[in-house]
């Protein structure tokens, strides 16, 4: 009853998105260089700040490309599409979106979606834990033009700060091995790949680092 059609959106990434992705990365990196330059004198560890964020953003983009063109779907796409349906609902009926976001998943709430908004994937919507992840993704879509690529860039940027706090903590505990700790906390390729895209892993890993 609740099986859904997949959106056709992720068959490709549109040129507009690549242009905006470049703009987002440039704006973020300008901000990052400003922060780094203002703090590096007090804390030399900030020499790792801009390269770590740049690699994080790049990992998020690579993740998008692989899941768009190679896998052509997956959990990351399902999370995105489900969050996009909720945002579409909010554009048409803000009160309905607030109902969906602030109450437990139910058939009554699911019926608020229409073919024009799209539907959250039912197997995710009716799992409260998975749906919580979708709720967290919705605000990101509002600052990324509902673009999968731009949303992934924003997600990668926001999730970086958990790993950065872990890096700072490790250096307080084990001073004198900054380069090795930088690689362990900030530059492990598999962690960058699986911890930068629109996935629950990105959120949970960043949260654990903060903890």
């Amino acid at each position: 009853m609740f099986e859904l059609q997949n959106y056709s959106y992720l068959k490709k990434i549109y040129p507009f998105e690549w242009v905006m992705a470049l703009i987002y990365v440039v704006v973020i990196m300008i901000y990052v260089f400003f922060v780094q330059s203002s703090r590096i004198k007090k804390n030399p560890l900030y020499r790792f700040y801009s390269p770590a964020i740049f690699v994080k953003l790049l990992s998020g983009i690579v993740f998008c490309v692989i899941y768009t063109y190679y896998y052509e779907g997956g959990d990351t796409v399902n999370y995105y599409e489900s969050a996009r349906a909720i945002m579409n609902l909010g554009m048409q009926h803000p009160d309905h979106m607030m109902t969906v976001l602030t109450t437990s998943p139910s058939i009554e709430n699911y019926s608020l979606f229409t073919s024009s908004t799209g539907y959250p994937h039912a197997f995710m919507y009716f799992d409260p834990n998975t749906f919580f992840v979708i709720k967290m993704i919705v605000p990101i879509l509002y600052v990324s033009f509902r673009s999968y690529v731009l949303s992934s860039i924003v997600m990668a940027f926001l999730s970086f700060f958990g790993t950065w706090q872990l890096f700072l903590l490790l250096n307080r505990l084990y001073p004198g091995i900054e380069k090795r700790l930088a690689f362990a906390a900030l530059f492990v390729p598999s962690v960058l790949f699986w911890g930068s895209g629109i996935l629950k892993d990105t959120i949970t890993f960043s949260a654990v680092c903060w903890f």
Side-chain angles (χ1 to χ4, degrees), residues 78-192:
N78 295 332
Y79 281 123
Y80 162 76
E81 291 174 342
S82 297
R84 190 176 184 214
I86 294 173
M87 181 182 174
N88 290 340
L89 179 65
M91 299 294 287
Q92 297 182 16
H93 303 286
D95 55 328
H96 289 175
M97 184 184 73
M98 292 306 301
T99 298
V100 169
L101 293 177
T102 58
T103 59
S104 299
S106 66
I107 295 175
E108 289 76 13
N109 288 350
Y110 196 83
S111 67
L112 297 174
F113 295 92
T114 66
S115 58
S116 63
T117 64
Y119 296 88
H121 289 275
F123 73 95
M124 288 185 158
Y125 176 83
F126 288 104
D127 180 344
N129 295 325
T130 304
F131 189 55
F132 179 76
V133 176
I134 295 171
K135 289 180 180 181
M136 296 187 70
I137 297 169
V138 171
I140 294 176
L141 298 185
Y142 277 92
V143 295
S144 51
F145 299 96
R146 290 182 286 185
S147 163
Y148 177 63
V149 176
L150 300 183
S151 299
S152 297
I153 290 173
V154 175
M155 175 74 86
F157 177 64
L158 294 177
S159 65
F160 167 79
F161 296 101
T163 55
W164 180 250
Q165 291 301 317
L166 174 64
F167 173 63
L168 296 179
L169 172 63
L170 291 175
N171 276 279
R172 289 197 295 270
L173 296 174
Y174 309 103
I177 53 172
E178 294 89 352
K179 290 184 179 180
R180 281 180 280 177
L181 292 177
F183 176 77
L186 303 173
F187 297 109
V188 176
S190 60
V191 176
L192 283 168

Side-chain angles (χ1 to χ4, degrees), residues 68-79:
T68 301
Y69 293 110
Y70 183 75
Y71 290 119
E72 297 183 347
D75 283 347
T76 176
V77 176
N78 295 332
Y79 281 123

